Amino acid sequence: MVRTVKGDWLGALRVAAWPLALLFVAACALGIWSNQDIDDLDIGWGTRMRVALAALLQGVGGGFGVSSDGTSDLGGAAVVGEAEVSGLPLLATAVWIGALVLAARSERRRLPRPTLSAGCEAALRIGAVCGLGGLALGLYASPSYEGLELDSAPGLTLLFSFLLSTFVAALVLTRGETDAWLAGRPASGLRTAAGALRTAALALVSVVALASVVACVVLLAAEEEISAGEVGSLLALLPNVGALALAFAWGAPLDVKWNISDWDAGHESAGYGELAEAAGGWAVVGTLAGGLACALLLGVLVARRSTSRAEQLWAAGFFVLGVLLLAAVAGAGFEARSHEASNSLEDPGYSTGPGLTGESFTSSAEVAAGSAELLLFALLWSFGGALLVPLLRAQFGKGGPGRTGLGPDNGQGAYVRPGYGQPYSPGYGPQGYGQPGYPGGHPGQGQPTAPGHGQPGYGQPGYGQPGYGQPGYPGQGQPPYGQSAPGQAGHEQAGQGKVGQSQAGQGQSQAGQGQGPGAPGAEAPGPHPPHPTGGGGTAPQP
């Protein structure tokens, strides 16, 4: 803790400035937008910008609530109450995490000692600065307008921005040390779980991005007339729309619930049947095709990045948990509680006075994906894609279960096949039989092989006789070095003399006839070893 407090706070400020500045700049850009209704209310750019900032801070744990003190005119009546919008703009969360990752990676190169403890200490400092910055932005994003006051929950912004920033910064700053620690434990379950978690995170981002793009195109094409404000709102909530579209494509219905002071309450569920009635059967086919594409994308990523079947199953399980979490936070809700502060302003003769209790009014609404159906269908689609794609890749020679997807030999060619390019058998040398090895050549390629298994090549000790200091091979009938077999000493000397005479005669014959080494019947140049049996003649050519 002492090292954390006395550490490099300037570096933490450099990292934390990225997400904080991006959110503030985005709020300033969103505050520029306006329409005729907002202009009639005379709401300036500063107020609009602070409202947009409060909405963006929801992505890092903030709130968005509006309260009235009874002095404002809402629909011709003065009311006292509060309303709260629940939801998580995932685009703001993605911007915060992305900026933090880029800044933390840049800061990791500046750490004096990139150890595990130094990375965790730097992550705590970054989280603290991000939390304090989120608190400052939350306090600023609380405008008021004619009796209405916006509450962005600065305390929640402080807490969740600190936790999120510390976690993300710790993952980035300790990545190298964590990988080194896991590399020393190749058979550990933690290494498998870490690889599966990274694969699931990448697959989740890729699948949701694909679903978001497809959903955006479909929604824009379905609308005949759409305003710029609606397009901007769709783009701002695009990851939320993509998560709900993925759940819908996989079979989970979209549930809509509402309750307006017990006057009107209901529940509607939209699934494949409602889609077929509204847009026809081909719309259902297209939705199923989109769900299949997402499942195949998951399977391809799992097959290429996983090294074992267990890691594939873990990755599919983590992906299901991620889909459930995203679908839960992608929905939106609204809740309002109020009571009448006075009678209608059209009858000013009677009033209970501001702040006095009149008729109460409550309302709520919620849009979300069916959690039970999503759990079932996410398991089927995710594990189906994660198990089917590796089998298909193995069927077509692209890698199978337990491989990285680089091919049946794990991307290393034929050298990993048993018996090919492996260490030489006892007695073999690295050179070919009858000639030296080729420079830079691979063992076993472009070189003649030895005459037989268990015998050394030409020029190596032991060809046709025991090697120096090596015992003879059992069963070959060869005595140890320094000893000759009975009755063979004279024959060996005579045989060697005949070999020398034969080589001399062959050289003269080649010189007289002009035949090269490659002519028919010509012997290869250079000395020839005695015959393996110890008698006259030479060894056969390779």
Side-chain angles (χ1 to χ4, degrees), residues 12-116:
L13 182 60
R14 284 195 300 265
V15 176
W18 283 51
L20 294 172
L22 277 179
L23 248 65
F24 186 78
V25 172
C28 293
L30 291 176
I32 298 176
W33 178 83
S34 180
N35 57 18
Q36 187 62 38
D37 295 334
I38 295 178
D39 292 338
D40 293 341
L41 294 175
D42 195 18
I43 300 177
W45 173 83
T47 302
R48 299 197 303 269
M49 185 269 292
R50 295 166 73 180
V51 172
L53 181 59
L56 292 177
L57 287 176
Q58 281 188 286
V60 290
F64 194 91
V66 180
S67 59
S68 172
D69 58 2
T71 60
S72 60
D73 180 10
L74 299 177
V79 297
V80 176
E82 57 185 12
E84 183 178 1
V85 178
S86 61
L88 187 69
L90 295 176
L91 184 60
T93 308
V95 169
W96 182 282
I97 293 177
L100 199 59
V101 167
L102 294 177
R105 291 183 62 181
S106 177
E107 185 65 22
R108 184 175 58 184
R109 305 186 185 98
R110 303 180 182 179
L111 288 178
R113 294 181 58 191
T115 61
L116 188 62

Side-chain angles (χ1 to χ4, degrees), residues 96-471:
W96 182 282
I97 293 177
L100 199 59
V101 167
L102 294 177
R105 291 183 62 181
S106 177
E107 185 65 22
R108 184 175 58 184
R109 305 186 185 98
R110 303 180 182 179
L111 288 178
R113 294 181 58 191
T115 61
L116 188 62
S117 61
C120 293
E121 293 164 5
L124 286 174
R125 290 191 294 269
I126 293 172
V129 177
C130 287
L132 292 176
L135 174 63
L137 292 180
L139 292 174
Y140 179 71
S142 300
S144 59
Y145 173 79
E146 295 184 358
L148 298 176
E149 184 176 357
L150 177 62
D151 181 16
S152 60
L156 293 178
T157 305
L158 168 64
L159 175 62
F160 288 105
S161 60
F162 167 74
L163 295 177
L164 178 63
S165 302
T166 303
F167 178 72
V168 173
L171 288 180
V172 176
L173 296 177
T174 62
R175 172 69 182 272
E177 292 71 28
T178 303
D179 289 345
W181 184 81
L182 292 174
R185 295 160 177 80
S188 174
L190 291 177
R191 184 177 182 180
T192 301
L197 187 59
R198 293 172 181 174
T199 301
L202 176 61
L204 186 63
V205 173
S206 303
V207 169
V208 172
L210 175 62
S212 302
V213 172
V214 174
C216 180
V217 172
V218 171
L219 292 177
L220 292 179
E223 294 291 336
E224 297 180 357
E225 296 182 2
I226 187 170
S227 62
E230 294 174 346
V231 174
S233 301
L234 177 61
L235 294 178
L237 298 176
L238 191 58
N240 299 64
V241 174
L244 295 178
L246 175 63
F248 184 80
W250 279 1
L254 296 181
D255 296 332
V256 181
K257 302 177 183 178
W258 68 92
N259 185 5
I260 303 177
S261 291
D262 296 330
W263 299 337
D264 185 12
H267 172 267
E268 291 288 342
S269 181
Y272 287 161
E274 289 74 13
L275 178 63
E277 294 178 359
W282 284 108
V284 179
V285 174
T287 303
L288 289 173
L292 178 61
C294 293
L296 292 178
L297 177 59
L298 167 65
V300 169
L301 293 175
V302 168
R304 292 186 62 87
R305 293 175 58 89
S306 300
T307 58
S308 64
R309 179 57 62 88
E311 187 172 343
Q312 293 174 0
L313 297 178
W314 276 104
F318 287 138
F319 181 84
V320 171
L321 294 179
V323 169
L324 293 177
L325 179 61
L326 278 184
V329 300
F334 171 82
E335 185 176 359
R337 298 175 300 274
S338 63
H339 57 270
E340 189 178 0
S342 63
N343 282 344
S344 174
L345 297 180
E346 297 178 358
D347 186 12
Y350 173 80
S351 175
T352 57
L356 297 182
T357 303
E359 185 178 358
S360 62
F361 178 83
T362 61
S363 63
S364 62
E366 181 183 4
V367 179
S371 57
E373 295 87 349
L374 179 59
L375 174 60
L376 173 61
F377 289 111
L379 288 172
L380 294 176
W381 284 96
S382 301
F383 280 92
L387 296 177
L388 178 61
V389 173
L391 295 178
L392 293 178
R393 290 172 62 86
Q395 184 70 23
F396 293 98
K398 298 294 185 180
R403 301 194 182 274
T404 59
L406 298 178
D409 50 12
N410 206 15
Q412 301 183 18
Y415 295 102
V416 298
R417 298 173 187 169
Y420 192 96
Q422 300 295 329
Y424 294 95
S425 302
Y428 279 97
Q431 296 179 345
Y433 167 72
Q435 54 186 339
Y438 298 102
H442 296 287
Q445 289 188 349
Q447 299 180 2
T449 56
H453 182 72
Q455 297 182 3
Y458 171 73
Q460 302 271 335
Y463 178 78
Q465 57 183 351
Y468 293 98
Q470 298 179 359

